[in-house]
Amino acid sequence: MKDLESWLKERRITEVECLVSDITGIARGKIAPVSKFVAEKGMRLPESVLLQSVTGDYVEDDLYYSLLDPADIDMLCKPDPSAAYPVPWALEPTAQVIHDCFDKQGNPIELSARNQLKKVLALYAEQGWRPVVAPEMEFYLTKRCEDPDLPLQPPIGRSGRQETGRQSFSIDAANEFDPLFEDMYDWCEAQSIDIDTLIHEEGTAQMEINFRHGDPLTLADQVFLFKRTMREAALKHDVAATFMAKPVTNEPGSAMHIHQSVLEAKSGRSVFSNPDGTMSPLFLHHIGGLQKFIPEALPLMAPNVNSFRRFLPDTSAPVNVEWGEENRTCGLRVPDSTAQNRRVENRLPGADANAYLAIAASLLCGYLGMIQKLNPSAPVQGRAFERRNLRLPFTLEQALERMEHCAELETYMGSKFVTGFVAVKRVENENFKRVISSWEREFLLLSV
């Protein structure tokens, strides 16, 4: 805390946003004067915020009180000094500090998404391994829209015109929003968010930001903060940024591709490569684990009803857990690289996923393959879009059912977490079913 206090004093911080991530990835917490933050060295929050759905609802009472203390007590949230960042868009000198959640006995709260990632990283550390990840975040820029019943529209760029058609990798199309992206880069630099390249993706006004590879917990923190940053930069320029998995009809979905590799903790050598540079057994086992367990852990990577709208055949999103070298039709792509940089790209997570949980799940699946010595299927040559290769659940309902019956997830993530996560997502799914869509009104209203 002394280092954190010095950091706050050097920057003349007057307010601190005390943050935790809920299951959805929404920033929950309190805003405190810096004097109060320093004096209390943390905050208290109801543990129930970790069981709050994206609509603000909670799970049913019987389950609520079986997962939480019946007295609805507070949890203790302690600041992580390594996760303190300025808030560059704030009018007054403000900091945001990510907190970890503990019970009164000092035990990590199982329902915390950040604690789940820490738990998975500890499994790797016990084996003398150190995982490395590099997320890629896709998102759309749209006109600001106050009516959720209206379809989203592309924003107007510097030219005064809306973007039309597909502009994959277009420099000029990305430059239409230069002032916005200049703020984004400046604000990310101020927060030490280590973003790399900006790409115009396939969809209309769809962009992608790549993060430099690094420590999974640090990268999850950065993705968590990047979403806040990108939304704030967009609002400053009178547009909106959305990380919905499939926000626009007939346009590609938005993914959070996760590149992951594993090093020896002591030597830094990749365990994915043999001394002669070929693929190691551990690398193949890692892929085998991803293939076996991603279908069970899919809600952690595709957590919403809308998430499953990405998974359509013959689109840019994979609908399988096949693997192949330099093959983007596979759910698991092995990019061309040196032996030391050998990695696998998990292309299944959506941009709407909670980064802590998506990275934790992806690394856990690979870890289980390495521990259980699971062998992958043969790599795919050519297209992997055929439906016969599909081993994924079709809907969120099917995915949640598979997740709650996966013994390995319950063992490693805890029964309380699995039960709570599934319950929150079922509450959201029930809320979704209450809403009648425009498609139903258009095609069923006077026809059936």
Side-chain angles (χ1 to χ4, degrees), residues 145-162:
C145 181
E146 296 180 359
D147 188 345
D149 284 332
L150 296 178
L152 297 175
Q153 297 292 326
I156 295 173
R158 292 186 306 156
S159 65
R161 301 181 63 185
Q162 286 181 305

Side-chain angles (χ1 to χ4, degrees), residues 136 255-258 310-311 316-318 327-333 345-350:
E136 299 174 349
M256 175 170 58
H257 299 153
I258 301 173
R310 277 182 63 233
F311 299 136
S316 56
N327 192 334
R328 284 186 169 84
T329 68
C330 294
L332 304 170
R333 169 178 169 257
E345 177 192 14
N346 181 357
R347 295 174 59 78
L348 289 160

Side-chain angles (χ1 to χ4, degrees), residues 155-385:
I156 295 173
R158 292 186 306 156
S159 65
R161 301 181 63 185
Q162 286 181 305
E163 184 178 312
T164 57
R166 299 292 170 86
Q167 301 288 344
S168 301
F169 297 97
S170 169
I171 299 298
D172 291 338
N175 284 343
E176 281 286 291
F177 305 99
D178 263 355
L180 188 161
F181 290 126
E182 286 296 331
D183 282 336
M184 178 203 73
Y185 272 109
D186 289 345
W187 290 353
C188 285
E189 184 177 356
Q191 297 170 87
S192 298
I193 296 177
D194 205 6
I195 57 176
D196 194 359
T197 51
L198 167 68
I199 300 167
H200 192 297
E201 262 295 344
E202 184 179 353
T204 304
Q206 185 187 30
M207 309 293 171
E208 177 183 287
I209 285 287
N210 297 333
F211 287 74
R212 298 184 194 274
H213 64 275
D215 170 66
L217 184 63
T218 301
L219 267 298
D221 286 341
Q222 290 189 8
V223 171
F224 175 57
L225 298 178
F226 173 75
K227 286 186 173 184
R228 298 190 78 208
T229 303
M230 191 64 242
R231 292 189 188 106
E232 288 289 341
L235 289 175
K236 178 182 175 182
H237 294 271
D238 201 32
V239 300
T242 178
F243 294 89
M244 276 180 66
K246 185 79 167 179
V248 184
T249 303
N250 297 325
E251 293 286 354
S254 292
M256 175 170 58
H257 299 153
I258 301 173
H259 292 250
Q260 56 197 65
S261 58
V262 182
L263 309 178
E264 287 182 349
K266 289 185 177 180
S267 68
R269 184 187 67 83
S270 172
V271 305
F272 281 178
S273 296
N274 294 316
D276 64 359
T278 57
M279 296 178 184
S280 71
L282 283 175
F283 179 62
L284 296 174
H285 294 329
H286 192 90
I287 292 176
L290 290 167
Q291 287 189 315
K292 180 175 180 179
F293 291 108
I294 281 178
E296 316 300 320
L298 189 60
L300 299 171
M301 306 175 196
N304 304 301
V305 175
N306 180 262
S307 308
F308 285 78
R309 297 188 187 276
R310 277 182 63 233
F311 299 136
L312 297 172
D314 298 313
T315 65
S316 56
V319 291
N320 58 69
V321 286
E322 304 295 345
W323 75 285
E325 297 183 70
E326 282 297 324
N327 192 334
R328 284 186 169 84
T329 68
C330 294
L332 304 170
R333 169 178 169 257
V334 177
D336 186 34
S337 70
T338 63
Q340 176 62 20
N341 294 320
R342 178 167 280 121
R343 61 195 185 276
V344 58
E345 177 192 14
N346 181 357
R347 295 174 59 78
L348 289 160
D352 58 333
N354 181 321
Y356 296 107
L357 296 180
I359 293 173
S362 193
L363 290 176
L364 178 59
C365 292
Y367 168 86
L368 290 171
M370 297 166 80
I371 294 298
Q372 298 180 12
K373 295 182 169 55
L374 301 177
N375 291 318
S377 61
V380 170
Q381 306 293 332
R383 289 170 59 81
F385 278 142

